[in-house]
Amino acid sequence: MTDRNHADLRQGIVDTCKEMNRNGLNQGTSGNLSHRIPSGMLITPTSLPYEHMRPDDVVAMDFAANYQGSHRPSSEWRFHRDILRARDDINVVLHTHSTFSTILAVHERGIPCFHYMVAVAGGNDIRCAPYACFGTQALSDYAVNALEGRNACLLGHHGLIVTAQTFEKALWLAVEVETLAKMYVHALAIGEPPRLSETEMAQVHEQMKRMGYGQAPDLDDVGDVPRPVPQPKLAPH
Ligand code: 13P
């Protein structure tokens, strides 16, 4: 286990963490981020504020929990490892304590299909895993279960996890889920909102698949969607 390289992924972890702080998804030393590598994963070090984190601070860890680096790995290495191990369709696990997702999680509530965008997490709801202490195997087991068929889940009395193939998609999804959580919390102020039906959600999933929604669509592969045409060059003044 000698992954000291992967300079681009190390830089990607640093950049993504800083972006999480900039866009308000995270603050202080809460949250963590990992990316799959052939020998296991790269993961943020524990308790190091993102403003001070450099690519060399990122820890390389195999799935047997051997690690290399000048810092200890995130206290949540178990759920990062277990999710990456359980899901070979994803490369990135991102965890935040973003405010509105956590407001729902402290009430042990997930996000139902009150809005069609819930489908971007892969199903008809975003589940909330039961509470377990941070850094434990129990928390990891609950998280893996809550992510079954999904790319996002809340963690009871704790925060949010999203999974994706790339850093960009993970950040995008985290912002979408946090926005849904914010909308749901506000919607609850005037009562529990009605839910979309199974049929309506099935249509949303189908439409998202057809349009490659949120997946950097390849417009040549789909039907009646707008296509970009080359812009005529403007004559110089
Ligand atoms: P780490 O600094 O150990 O990653 O912990 C932060 C956190 O959010 C724990 O859930």
Side-chain angles (χ1 to χ4, degrees):
M1 212 279 303
T2 52
D3 270 302
R4 294 286 298 140
N5 298 318
H6 301 291
D8 50 342
L9 294 180
R10 287 170 179 274
Q11 188 63 52
I13 286 186
V14 171
D15 293 345
T16 306
C17 285
K18 288 185 173 160
E19 185 58 25
M20 278 203 281
N21 278 11
R22 268 196 296 275
N23 67 19
L25 280 177
N26 226 32
Q27 47 72 45
T29 60
S30 60
N32 28 69
L33 175 66
S34 64
H35 195 292
R36 185 191 304 279
I37 53 176
S39 61
M41 62 186 174
L42 292 174
I43 187 165
T44 45
T46 187
S47 309
L48 186 71
Y50 295 154
E51 314 87 77
H52 305 306
M53 195 168 68
R54 290 172 301 109
D56 276 354
D57 294 322
V58 171
V59 181
M61 191 175 201
D62 69 19
F63 288 166
N66 304 300
Y67 73 90
Q68 287 185 334
S70 46
H71 299 272
R72 282 181 300 125
S74 166
S75 55
E76 302 294 15
W77 61 267
R78 286 182 179 79
F79 72 59
H80 287 267
R81 173 196 63 183
D82 295 347
I83 294 165
L84 287 171
R85 229 171 12 187
R87 293 279 303 275
D88 58 11
D89 58 317
I90 58 107
N91 295 314
V92 177
V93 178
L94 182 154
H95 167 56
T96 79
H97 296 178
S98 51
T99 307
F100 285 91
S101 299
T102 306
I103 288 172
L104 292 173
V106 300
H107 282 282
E108 303 177 1
R109 296 177 78 133
I111 307 178
C113 48
F114 77 109
H115 189 291
Y116 79 90
M117 282 292 281
V118 165
V120 296
N124 288 357
D125 62 0
I126 297 169
R127 304 183 188 104
C128 181
Y131 173 76
C133 182
F134 81 96
T136 60
Q137 188 59 44
L139 178 62
S140 176
D141 294 344
Y142 288 148
V144 170
N145 279 343
L147 283 167
E148 176 87 46
R150 306 281 187 278
N151 285 319
C153 73
L154 308 185
L155 300 176
H157 304 272
H158 188 154
L160 164 69
I161 295 178
V162 302
T163 64
Q165 283 171 2
T166 64
F167 293 126
E168 292 76 13
K169 284 184 182 169
L171 260 181
W172 171 80
L173 185 57
V175 170
E176 289 298 338
V177 175
E178 176 63 5
T179 304
L180 284 163
K182 184 175 183 176
M183 291 191 280
Y184 187 45
V185 166
H186 284 296
L188 285 169
I190 51 171
E192 182 73 55
R195 305 195 177 165
L196 296 171
S197 68
E198 297 260 321
T199 311
E200 287 163 333
M201 286 303 286
Q203 187 186 11
V204 172
H205 287 294
E206 187 50 41
Q207 184 79 328
M208 285 184 171
K209 208 162 110 196
R210 198 178 69 87
M211 297 182 121
Y213 196 84
Q215 307 284 321
D218 178 353
L219 293 178
D220 286 340
D221 288 348
V222 293
D224 59 336
V225 295
R227 290 159 196 276
V229 293
Q231 297 285 327
K233 281 216 169 71
L234 290 176
H237 291 294

